[in-house]
Amino acid sequence: MTWKVDDDDLAGGGLAGLIRQYESGLAHLGKVARDDVEGQVEHLQYLASTLGLGKRLLRTYDEVKFVAPGRRPQLKQWGCVVRGHEVKGAERATVVRIELQRRPYILTFREPEVSYEDVKAYLDLHADKGQLLFSALLHLDVNEPGDGWVPGTIEAFIPGDWVKDFLELSLHLDQTTHGTDVSPTDDLRKKFGL
């Protein structure tokens, strides 16, 4: 049994629509037989994918990976505070400690030592106590903007309050990126001093 997203869930838009979609997905998970582990995993992967959690966490990581602790007042206004960074060269990992809605998290971008045909990496989210909450395999796509990383297979997903926190933060980040109050013409005027 695979749960599908209702059009009503997608039409809701915004944070409320995403939360309804998330809660609906969790409710449908209860309908999957407890002994059908593969079915439950498939359902959770589909839910995480439908919510765009891989893209949303990657976007968050990109926003905070070089931010000095305590900087970026806009992030703080949204309940996100960067607590520290660490690059683990031997493990080929960049670790960013953040606090979101007063809950501590650890975002880790890691590249395996050996990557076969495709260039791959992983993005992990841990609770501060070390519990893995989310992990996605990333693929490098040179046609993508920014660093070119694109989320692929969901390797781990444990639902919880963290999902709502990151959904909300990603919507704030999207609003600032799309410049809701700056038109393309105004942007061009600014760039060319007109």
Side-chain angles (χ1 to χ4, degrees), residues 5-78:
V5 178
D6 295 330
D7 289 337
D8 292 342
D9 291 333
L10 293 175
L15 182 61
L18 287 169
I19 290 173
R20 267 195 317 277
Q21 186 177 343
Y22 172 61
E23 290 171 348
S24 174
L26 291 180
H28 281 81
L29 179 62
K31 297 177 183 176
V32 179
R34 287 185 108 11
D35 61 345
D36 183 7
V37 174
E38 290 173 357
Q40 290 178 337
V41 167
E42 180 183 299
H43 179 81
L44 286 170
Q45 286 174 321
Y46 180 77
L47 176 59
S49 191
T50 301
L51 292 170
L53 288 179
K55 287 181 181 181
R56 293 173 191 283
L57 288 172
L58 185 58
R59 173 78 161 74
T60 300
Y61 171 78
D62 285 341
E63 284 293 322
V64 300
K65 66 184 172 186
F66 297 122
V67 174
R71 298 287 183 202
R72 296 273 311 267
Q74 200 166 27
L75 285 174
K76 194 172 184 176
Q77 176 185 355
W78 299 327

Side-chain angles (χ1 to χ4, degrees), residues 100-135:
L100 185 55
Q101 304 304 334
R102 297 191 172 139
R103 288 186 270 274
Y105 298 104
I106 302 166
L107 276 166
T108 305
F109 178 89
R110 58 188 171 89
E111 297 178 69
E113 288 186 35
V114 177
S115 182
Y116 300 98
E117 296 174 21
D118 295 328
V119 178
K120 298 177 183 171
Y122 292 88
L123 181 66
D124 302 329
L125 175 69
H126 288 86
D128 191 44
K129 303 291 185 203
Q131 179 187 20
L132 180 65
L133 301 173
F134 183 87
S135 181

